[in-house]
């Protein structure tokens, strides 16, 4: 009889949800999805789920040992650099195999007006140099970098960001994916002069980039943080193959 293997799946993304579904069909595999607990009403993956931080790389190391984890899949967002660094460190210490699902970044296309920003502080400085309302589509985190700029903002996020917040802003609480029509309407109705986006990649939030291109609106694109180099795949199928091979 085959022994059951346990995988810790670090999620909080659409890839995490899809992978939890797909791995649920693999025989002799126990999959524990992990969410940070940032949003109060998260989309829950199918199967076993744990919520909340581990307590840094030390805490994660302990969990890998105590729970006898056979493999870790990092399906976190490309901007979730702390958990990815902790997973790298904890897997190195415990010699537990680690795989990342990496979402290719978006690249500039003909008609795009992109301005590259090294981080959200840089993005704030660049965005403030444009006229019109500034649309922030960077999630809940990082909004404080825009506070020093006395401008009108539109903040779109799943949940309201925590203070400090800019003095003048309109909040659009929405969860993607968004259609091109949704995004055109948002940019036009809110009279957006410039869009600030993280280079998240993937198709779920790409339509804002297409709408900005169509309407000739500049986009300040925040570059991805540098993550540890780990074996990675870019599809659910490849991650399932890796898990089957454990
Ligand atoms: P982060 O800065 O890399 O992580 C901060 C801390 O949150 C980590 O040190 C860890 O706490 C905890 N954490 C993060 N992801 C976790 C997970 N999947 N399971 C358990 N603990 C986790 O991460 P973040 O940018 O705040 O993102 C948090 C979550 O939201 C992630 O699951 C990510 O996939 C998702 N998300 C992030 C973004 C984004 O733009 N950053 C966008 C969409 C979704 P301990 O040190 O205590 O273990």
């Amino acid at each position: 009889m085959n022994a059951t293997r346990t995988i810790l799946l670090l999620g909080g993304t659409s890839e995490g949800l899809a992978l939890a579904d797909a791995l649920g069909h693999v025989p002799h595999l126990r999959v524990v999805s992990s969410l940070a607990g940032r949003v109060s009403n998260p989309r829950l993956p199918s199967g076993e789920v744990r919520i909340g931080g581990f307590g840094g790389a030390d805490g994660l190391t302990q969990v890998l040992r105590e729970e006898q984890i056979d493999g870790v899949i990092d399906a976190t967002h490309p901007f979730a650099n702390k958990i990815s660094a902790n997973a790298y460190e904890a897997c190195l210490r415990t010699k537990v195999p680690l795989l990342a699902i990496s979402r290719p970044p978006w690249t500039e296309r003909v008609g795009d007006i992109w301005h590259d920003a090294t981080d959200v502080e840089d993005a704030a400085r660049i965005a403030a140099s444009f006229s019109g309302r500034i649309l922030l589509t960077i999630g809940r985190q990082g909004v404080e970098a825009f506070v020093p700029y006395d401008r009108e903002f539109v903040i779109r996020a799943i949940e309201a960001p925590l203070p400090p917040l800019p003095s003048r802003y309109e909040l659009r609480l929405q969860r993607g994916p968004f259609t091109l029509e949704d995004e055109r309407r948002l940019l036009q109705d809110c009279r957006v002069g410039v869009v600030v986006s993280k280079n998240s990649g993937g198709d779920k939030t790409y339509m804002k980039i297409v709408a900005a291109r169509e309407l000739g609106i500049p986009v300040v694109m925040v570059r991805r943080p540098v993550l540890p180099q780990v074996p990675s795949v870019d599809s659910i199928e490849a991650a399932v193959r890796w898990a089957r091979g454990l």
Side-chain angles (χ1 to χ4, degrees), residues 107 109-112 206 208-217 219:
T107 52
R109 304 262 185 95
V110 175
D112 282 333
Y206 184 63
K208 64 188 171 193
I209 306 301
V210 179
R213 182 189 305 146
E214 280 185 6
L215 297 167
I217 297 174
V219 175

Side-chain angles (χ1 to χ4, degrees), residues 160-173:
L162 299 172
L165 297 174
S167 52
R168 290 181 289 153
Y169 70 91
E170 177 184 336
L171 190 58
R172 295 271 175 137
L173 294 181

Side-chain angles (χ1 to χ4, degrees), residues 10-13 34-36 38 50 52-56 76-77 79-83 86 141 198:
L10 303 170
T13 55
S34 175
L35 304 178
R38 287 275 184 283
R50 65 162 301 286
F54 299 97
T76 60
H77 191 270
F79 279 76
N81 55 338
K82 293 194 191 77
I83 187 70
N86 292 347
Q141 298 176 63
K198 289 175 173 172

Side-chain angles (χ1 to χ4, degrees), residues 140-202:
R140 298 174 82 190
Q141 298 176 63
V143 174
E144 66 278 2
F146 294 82
V147 172
Y149 301 94
D150 182 25
R151 298 290 303 281
E152 268 189 61
F153 293 89
V154 179
I155 303 174
R156 183 182 59 197
I158 296 175
E159 276 185 15
L162 299 172
L165 297 174
S167 52
R168 290 181 289 153
Y169 70 91
E170 177 184 336
L171 190 58
R172 295 271 175 137
L173 294 181
Q174 294 168 340
R175 194 195 287 263
F178 303 103
T179 66
L180 180 56
E181 190 45 46
D182 293 336
E183 301 300 56
R184 274 195 205 114
R185 206 175 312 125
L186 173 72
L187 296 183
Q188 287 175 321
D189 290 356
C190 293
R191 304 183 318 281
V192 168
V194 58
V195 176
V196 181
S197 171
K198 289 175 173 172
N199 194 338
S200 300

Side-chain angles (χ1 to χ4, degrees), residues 49-72:
V49 181
R50 65 162 301 286
I51 298 181
F54 299 97
D58 290 344
L60 184 51
T61 302
Q62 201 176 333
V63 167
L64 297 186
R65 289 196 174 121
E66 284 173 2
E67 301 286 323
Q68 298 180 2
I69 302 295
D70 297 295
V72 175

